[in-house]
Amino acid sequence: MKRLAILISLILLIGVSAGCGKKRVSLNPGVVKDLVVLTLDGDLPGQTGDQKHELDIVMKWMDRDIIANLKRSGFNAVLIKDMKEYASDMGKLLVVDVDDFNAGNRAARAFVGFGAGAASLDLSYRLLDEQGAVILEWQDGVGSSKGGTYCAQTLNRNTIERLVGLLNN
């Protein structure tokens, strides 16, 4: 019985320390760490006032989250809201634009459950070097029954993994 308890404790310890938690990526030493993030507000045609308001909430949350996570990964990250604020000596520029947003239905999630009223967020990304040349372009999208900020969180995590992987190589 004692051996079984030791074996289970060892398996749990290895599982937790070997990556069953959140995956964290970081830049290698010597990699240029300066990065400017420009998020465009996602003025999508055909949105209602409520949808615009919900997207604004998600984008503000996403801005704070991506900068905090970029800094944890080793970047010197700065957020700007207008291209006029960018200067080439600030570093590489990541431009994030909203392609599509579905706010879902908060009432459906509250009364029916998390399976109803799913939100989705689709973004376009462009990473530019200091001279304005495109280094990398991609699109990413995700849905969540928990709401738009969960979509933004997943997209931010995917973006950081992609940037770290590109710049570390």
Side-chain angles (χ1 to χ4, degrees), residues 24-45:
R24 176 141 314 155
V25 293
S26 58
L27 288 172
N28 292 335
V31 174
V32 177
K33 299 173 181 344
D34 295 331
L35 181 68
V36 178
V37 179
L38 168 63
T39 57
L40 304 175
D41 288 329
D43 186 18
L44 301 173

Side-chain angles (χ1 to χ4, degrees), residues 34-164:
D34 295 331
L35 181 68
V36 178
V37 179
L38 168 63
T39 57
L40 304 175
D41 288 329
D43 186 18
L44 301 173
Q47 281 189 313
T48 66
D50 288 343
Q51 290 168 331
K52 288 179 184 178
H53 176 71
E54 191 74 26
L55 178 58
D56 186 49
I57 291 169
V58 170
M59 293 303 292
K60 285 179 181 174
W61 187 92
M62 187 181 88
D63 289 346
R64 287 189 308 270
D65 182 67
I66 196 165
I67 295 300
N69 284 308
L70 283 166
K71 288 182 177 183
R72 267 187 237 125
S73 295
F75 285 95
N76 297 325
V78 176
L79 177 70
I80 61 173
K81 293 306 279 182
D82 190 334
M83 188 64 171
K84 294 175 186 172
E85 298 175 47
Y86 176 73
S88 62
D89 64 341
M90 297 170 74
K92 292 178 177 42
L93 175 65
L94 176 65
V95 180
V96 182
D97 195 8
V98 178
D99 290 335
D100 191 36
F101 176 69
N102 177 7
N105 187 327
R106 285 182 185 233
R109 286 195 304 270
F111 292 109
V112 178
F114 282 107
S120 64
L121 180 61
D122 297 319
L123 301 175
S124 294
Y125 300 88
R126 280 184 308 158
L127 180 63
L128 308 172
D129 68 9
E130 291 81 353
Q131 288 74 40
V134 176
I135 299 172
L136 184 65
E137 280 186 282
W138 73 96
Q139 294 178 317
D140 199 0
V142 70
S144 174
S145 60
K146 295 180 180 180
T149 55
Y150 287 88
C151 298
Q153 182 179 39
T154 300
L155 293 170
N156 285 348
R157 193 175 320 125
N158 293 349
T159 299
I160 292 166
E161 287 176 13
R162 187 179 295 246
L163 290 173
V164 169

